[in-house]
Amino acid sequence: MEPDAHSHKDVEPTYQPAHYPYVGGPKRGSKKWFIIGGIIIIVIAAAAALWFFMMHKPAPKPPVTQHTTSTTTPQLSPVEAATLQTFKSATLNVQVTYRKDWTPRESADKKELILTSPSTTYKKSDGTSTTGSFTVKIREDVPDGMQTTIQKALAAEDSLIIAYAQPAPSQRQYTNLSYAGSDANSFTFYMVTGDNAYKAGSPFGTGIDLTGTTYIIAGGYGADSGDVLAFDNVPKNSVESTVYDQGLDIIKSLQVY
């Protein structure tokens, strides 16, 4: 039998292309996430680099310190400062005891022993306030400049009898400590005057033999840089202080061999 001309088996099928996955350009959403991911990677890399730099940064060098020699007494604790030291001069044949915060030294020719206190503040006779040391001097002869200073001074107050703490066998046990000033109201220095005692206002130095082998044992406020007992003048009513008492203890500790 002849097939029907309109049978569906004889109709040529309509062409349809094969189905394949989409392979066109990237979608917009994927591009956005790609950019965000790149930013995150850059931030992480920068943080890691910063951490590495900070961990391996060289330690700062310590500041350069210039070493200078200080002429001031170093600060000591109260216990250290009160520790007693001894100094013996073979040239002068004397020995003294002093606190550790005091400084002893001998002159270049070793004819004078000088002890200075820690720095202290005191008022001078002219009303000004200054800072300096209390100085004790011991020597075996009396230079002309010291003789002149002693002979021009007046007794600032009555002499005081003091006892040496541990006198040497050939040393006297008691002596007079006398106070000198430019006038009766000021104090310049005190000095051991042996058997000689003075009343306030009387001429200072009379009766003392300042020639030959004579020990000068004196102390006052200031440095006496001219080595003529030219200490600072201070008001008589404000003479006593801690360093004044410590200087007096040095004189009391004196041993003469």
Side-chain angles (χ1 to χ4, degrees):
M1 182 172 69
E2 293 293 329
D4 186 352
H6 297 285
S7 173
H8 68 275
K9 291 183 179 181
D10 296 327
V11 177
E12 185 177 353
T14 304
Y15 173 78
Q16 294 183 356
H19 294 280
Y20 297 99
Y22 179 75
V23 293
K27 295 182 180 180
R28 295 182 63 184
S30 299
K31 183 176 181 180
K32 177 180 179 182
W33 285 110
F34 177 79
I35 295 173
I36 293 175
I39 293 174
I40 292 174
I41 292 172
I42 293 172
V43 171
I44 293 174
L50 179 62
W51 175 84
F52 180 84
F53 174 77
M54 293 301 295
M55 292 297 294
H56 294 80
K57 184 179 179 180
K61 295 182 179 180
V64 177
T65 302
Q66 294 183 350
H67 297 281
T68 57
T69 301
S70 176
T71 57
T72 59
T73 304
Q75 294 296 319
L76 302 173
S77 70
V79 174
E80 290 176 316
T83 302
L84 296 180
Q85 312 279 333
T86 59
F87 187 97
K88 186 173 184 177
S89 170
T91 303
L92 294 173
N93 295 316
V94 300
Q95 177 176 296
V96 292
T97 301
Y98 60 94
R99 286 168 51 102
K100 192 174 182 179
D101 56 352
W102 280 61
T103 304
R105 65 181 177 87
E106 289 186 303
S107 60
D109 58 6
K110 296 188 180 298
K111 291 184 178 180
E112 187 171 76
L113 173 59
I114 305 159
L115 299 103
T116 54
S117 76
S119 184
T120 187
T121 300
Y122 55 93
K123 183 176 291 187
K124 299 166 69 172
S125 292
D126 60 7
T128 61
S129 181
T130 189
T131 300
S133 299
F134 193 92
T135 304
V136 173
K137 290 190 168 188
I138 302 171
R139 61 179 301 135
E140 198 175 7
D141 63 340
V142 189
D144 292 341
M146 286 189 178
Q147 290 188 35
T148 300
T149 300
I150 292 170
Q151 292 166 350
K152 287 184 176 181
L154 294 176
E157 57 183 73
D158 295 351
S159 298
L160 174 70
I161 296 177
I162 63 171
Y164 291 113
Q166 293 180 321
S170 60
Q171 181 182 348
R172 66 193 303 153
Q173 185 174 357
Y174 298 94
T175 189
N176 279 287
L177 186 73
S178 301
Y179 303 86
S182 57
D183 54 59
N185 295 314
S186 64
F187 167 82
T188 306
F189 61 91
Y190 55 43
M191 187 177 85
V192 171
T193 55
D195 293 327
N196 296 278
Y198 303 96
K199 291 292 184 181
S202 62
F204 195 82
T206 56
I208 300 178
D209 184 4
L210 299 176
T211 61
T213 304
T214 301
Y215 277 101
I216 284 292
I217 306 161
Y221 289 95
D224 184 28
S225 56
D227 202 27
V228 292
L229 301 181
F231 295 103
D232 289 337
N233 280 316
V234 301
K236 185 173 66 175
N237 58 3
S238 63
V239 141
E240 296 188 16
S241 65
T242 300
V243 293
Y244 170 96
D245 292 336
Q246 292 169 1
L248 188 54
D249 287 340
I250 291 174
I251 292 177
K252 291 178 180 179
S253 76
L254 177 67
Q255 292 178 307
V256 182
Y257 296 98

